[in-house]
Amino acid sequence: MRSFVTVGLVLGFLVAPAFAQTPPPALPTANHRALAAGYKALTLCSAIFTAREAGASRTQASVEAHEFVGIYPELQPLIADLPVETFETEIAVTWDAVAPPRVAQFTPGRGCTIMPTGFVGGMREIRSVSRRTSAPTLPTGSADGDVAALDATVGQAFAGDFGTGAVTTGVVVLQDGKIVAERYAPDFGPDIPQRTWSVAKSLAGTVIGAAVQRGEVDPDAPAAIANWQAAEDPRRAITLDALMRMSSGLTSDTAGNRTDALYFGGTAVDEQAPGWPLIAPVGTRFRYANNDILLAVMAIAPTFEAHPPHALFDRLGMTHTWAETDWRGNYMMSSQVWTTARDLARFGQLYAQDGVWEGERLLPEGWRTRVTTPSGPQPPTGTFGYGATFWLMNREEGVPADAFSANGNRGQYVVIVPSRNVVIVRRGEDPAGQGFNIAAFTRDVLAALN
């Protein structure tokens, strides 16, 4: 175990205006610097150490070239110059001349955790877990359709044809459960995990579905959040289903409810997520919010002692998938899951097979219908609808009406088309403002397949 040494950090900022009438840019706040350091520490930790556990390799230079480009604008100018120290199971990033570095710690089988700002050393009390170390490889086959057209479409994804400035890092296409197309960008490959961002929300919905199948939770019952149990608390009416559908009615502080303090600041889920008040009656307003999924996972936490998320992933052969937690052990399954494109293809195939895997029903009969059926309020903009932790592609031209997807920041997509028995995984590191047209990509992939 290392000892902390206070390291001075001198940050220089250009504040002279170009013109007299132009106000100088605001200096970054201490909070911005701390968040930037947390972002850097956690991302480096997760990328480097999960790749190592997967038997692959990522370097700091590779992560800086991909994961640190086009991030949140208030953090982007800060992140490159923050000094990094790498230890056996830790990454420490200096951000202040007096405060301790921001620290992310790796636990085998569980991934990385960002420690609270001000943390001064010691290992958190989260035990490593034994994981399934191998699984049958996904079978490969020749596409039933126009192979040349499929290859060309996949190539276009890497060439930027489905979004100017979009950066594709990996594509896997399954047809009838077999890999019929697979390609990766340099620095990536079948054993290189990436952060799922909000694809984790659909993974969370799947973990919830597995708990429903085991008879451990009722999605239509009020969510079991201890903070809401007072008789006069109106949040007692929020069901697990409402949380999964982003219709809880809870206040969200920003669009998308970014929850930076949780993701990079070291605040714990059970400290922050349950505290938001209602702003709308339950089930009357759609508001895409990280907190809703964090709360849904928190509500089923008692089931994790016997059935932690990684047990389901291992059952599916998703042995290169890490569901990360905060420093108190709460799962961060609104965003903090690292996995590979092949593992996401397995996840998608579970839904293509209506929740059955190797002859065993892992999700309730009708669960796929449930999570892909819109109920109540829908997103006010865009063409995608929303079910329960999944997006709906039923209004996209050239895409079958039963297509649905798990979508995440920076271009993470898992598209499931049950009527065609096709799964499409696209991984990316798209800079902010540079979107990938997943509907067009899906249309063109399907057009190449019979």
Side-chain angles (χ1 to χ4, degrees), residues 17-264:
F19 301 99
Q21 70 271 25
T22 304
L27 288 171
T29 66
N31 184 53
H32 284 151
R33 295 198 305 273
L35 287 174
Y39 191 111
K40 188 169 190 175
L42 181 61
T43 303
L44 284 171
C45 180
S46 298
I48 291 171
F49 291 138
T50 61
R52 183 178 69 184
E53 191 169 27
S57 177
R58 286 296 301 278
T59 65
Q60 180 177 333
S62 171
V63 178
E64 289 175 344
H66 298 287
E67 279 89 339
F68 293 160
V69 174
I71 65 172
Y72 301 133
E74 66 272 28
L75 306 185
Q76 184 72 78
L78 307 175
I79 200 165
D81 295 330
L82 298 175
V84 176
E85 290 183 278
T86 302
F87 301 90
E88 182 64 24
T89 58
E90 289 185 356
I91 299 287
V93 176
T94 301
W95 64 279
D96 185 79
V98 177
R102 297 300 312 282
V103 174
Q105 295 183 344
F106 175 76
T107 302
R110 304 184 72 125
C112 289
T113 294
I114 189 69
M115 302 305 289
T117 305
F119 171 75
V120 293
M123 295 299 292
R124 68 196 191 284
E125 295 181 1
I126 299 178
R127 294 191 302 270
S128 61
V129 296
S130 297
R131 298 289 303 276
R132 181 177 179 179
T133 57
S134 63
T137 57
L138 284 167
T140 59
S142 181
D144 180 9
D146 189 335
V147 175
L150 177 61
D151 288 345
T153 299
V154 172
Q156 289 173 330
F158 287 87
D161 291 0
F162 293 97
T164 302
V167 179
T168 298
T169 57
V171 169
V172 173
V173 179
L174 302 185
Q175 184 183 39
D176 298 328
K178 298 179 181 179
I179 297 177
V180 296
E182 184 174 27
R183 190 177 301 183
Y184 297 95
D187 278 357
F188 296 88
D191 296 322
I192 296 294
Q194 290 178 258
R195 184 177 172 177
T196 63
W197 296 91
S198 288
V199 167
K201 293 177 171 67
S202 305
L203 292 167
T206 306
V207 170
I208 292 168
V212 174
Q213 171 65 13
R214 295 190 301 267
E216 297 171 340
V217 297
D218 178 359
D220 297 315
I225 303 298
N227 308 57
W228 299 348
Q229 299 311 305
E232 55 277 346
D233 193 331
R235 295 173 299 183
R236 292 178 67 190
I238 300 174
T239 63
L240 188 58
D241 184 74
L243 292 170
M244 293 174 65
R245 294 184 184 279
M246 306 290 186
S247 62
S248 67
L250 293 170
T251 303
S252 296
D253 55 346
T254 60
N257 198 213
R258 268 177 44 184
T259 55
D260 291 7
L262 291 172
Y263 290 169
F264 314 119

Side-chain angles (χ1 to χ4, degrees), residues 146 149 398 420 441-450:
D146 189 335
R420 301 283 298 273
F441 183 60
T442 298
R443 178 199 64 215
D444 290 358
V445 167
L446 293 175
L449 298 173
N450 290 331

Side-chain angles (χ1 to χ4, degrees), residues 426-447:
R426 188 268 183 176
R427 308 303 308 271
E429 290 296 343
D430 302 340
Q434 306 296 328
F436 181 85
N437 190 336
I438 188 60
F441 183 60
T442 298
R443 178 199 64 215
D444 290 358
V445 167
L446 293 175

